[in-house]
Amino acid sequence: MRLRYKTILFDFDGTLCASGEGIMHCATLALKEMGRPVPPPETLRRFIGPPAEDCYMDYCGMTREQADEAVRRFRVHYDATGWLKTTVYPGIPALLRDLKQAGAVICTASSKPYMMVERLLKHFEIADCFDALCAADNDGGNAEKASVIRRAMALCHTDSLTDTVMIGDTHYDAEGAVKVGLPFIGAAYGYGGEADLKAGGAKQFAASPEELRDFLFCK
């Protein structure tokens, strides 16, 4: 199989793994502990992917100080049990191994804390498919998507804007790729959906991990 791109950058939540249940559950616990109202499920879904502090401020009306406390509480729950509610999308392990066999350089480009990305990839026994991991700092810093993408490219020792592709499931991922100037493939099977991805500038969409193959391998 021949590759369309030499370097492939993957978002994590909603692209490699379905982590929404654990994230929404822990976000709810943090809000309840702080005596704050819990938004409806469709709003809680927006917590999946972006920096958590932004979500608490944007969707729960918190100040930065309150959001920082909510994130602290969220992480206590997520680090203890929330991460165990994550599942890897069917087809992702096989896709990663086929990409590696074909010679791809693979890296994450996630706004999730590095420690958790590493833990989950090892848990699902797919960490060996990655040449490097790029994510937010363990305290949540350095989570802005375009910055994460640029750091991922540096880790992969590439500055090519044609041989590198970003794959993600939300407008944050699409906007980050557009800002950097990279080709982008929308993981429409994730949490953002096609409309959200289009709002970020995405033009190509995969309805399943299996459909990603059509964009990553030459026929």
Side-chain angles (χ1 to χ4, degrees):
M1 291 183 287
R2 262 191 328 119
L3 294 168
R4 293 184 185 273
Y5 303 96
K6 180 180 178 182
T7 304
I8 303 171
L9 311 180
F10 283 95
D11 173 52
F12 189 90
D13 295 321
T15 303
L16 294 173
C17 290
S19 49
E21 181 182 355
I23 291 172
M24 293 169 66
H25 175 68
C26 294
T28 297
L29 291 177
L31 288 167
K32 287 182 176 179
E33 287 177 358
M34 295 178 71
R36 307 282 297 207
V38 178
E42 58 268 26
T43 300
L44 282 174
R45 281 175 61 88
R46 298 180 182 178
F47 278 68
I48 306 163
E53 291 88 347
D54 294 347
C55 294
Y56 282 112
M57 290 189 291
D58 293 344
Y59 307 129
C60 301
M62 290 187 175
T63 63
R64 168 61 70 174
E65 185 177 34
Q66 291 169 334
D68 287 344
E69 175 61 17
V71 170
R72 186 191 69 79
R73 292 172 182 266
F74 168 90
R75 287 185 181 143
V76 169
H77 293 294
Y78 194 79
D79 289 348
T81 60
W83 70 279
L84 292 169
K85 297 180 182 292
T86 301
T87 59
V88 66
Y89 284 113
I92 285 294
L95 173 63
L96 292 172
R97 299 199 185 284
D98 287 346
L99 289 170
K100 283 307 297 177
Q101 186 173 7
V105 176
I106 306 175
C107 185
T108 59
S110 173
S111 294
K112 198 179 190 72
Y114 181 97
M115 178 181 67
M116 194 53 63
V117 170
E118 183 180 46
R119 178 191 294 181
L120 284 162
L121 292 178
K122 288 180 177 178
H123 177 71
F124 292 118
E125 300 182 344
I126 53 176
D128 61 316
C129 295
F130 291 83
D131 296 275
L133 303 182
C134 189
D137 296 341
N138 289 331
D139 64 1
N142 288 318
E144 194 269 327
K145 185 58 73 163
S147 174
V148 172
I149 292 172
R150 290 190 180 101
R151 288 190 285 117
M153 292 177 68
L155 286 172
C156 294
H157 306 289
T158 183
D159 58 5
S160 174
L161 300 180
T162 56
D163 288 340
T164 305
V165 66
M166 174 68 194
I167 302 171
D169 72 307
T170 70
H171 72 275
Y172 294 98
D173 302 307
E175 288 166 355
V178 169
K179 189 172 182 179
V180 174
L182 284 184
F184 178 78
I185 302 168
Y189 56 85
Y191 295 107
E194 192 167 318
D196 180 72
L197 287 162
K198 283 182 178 177
K203 295 179 175 61
Q204 300 183 103
F205 310 94
S208 67
E210 191 63 28
E211 282 193 15
L212 285 175
R213 291 177 178 272
D214 295 335
F215 295 102
L216 299 176
F217 291 104
C218 298
K219 294 183 178 179

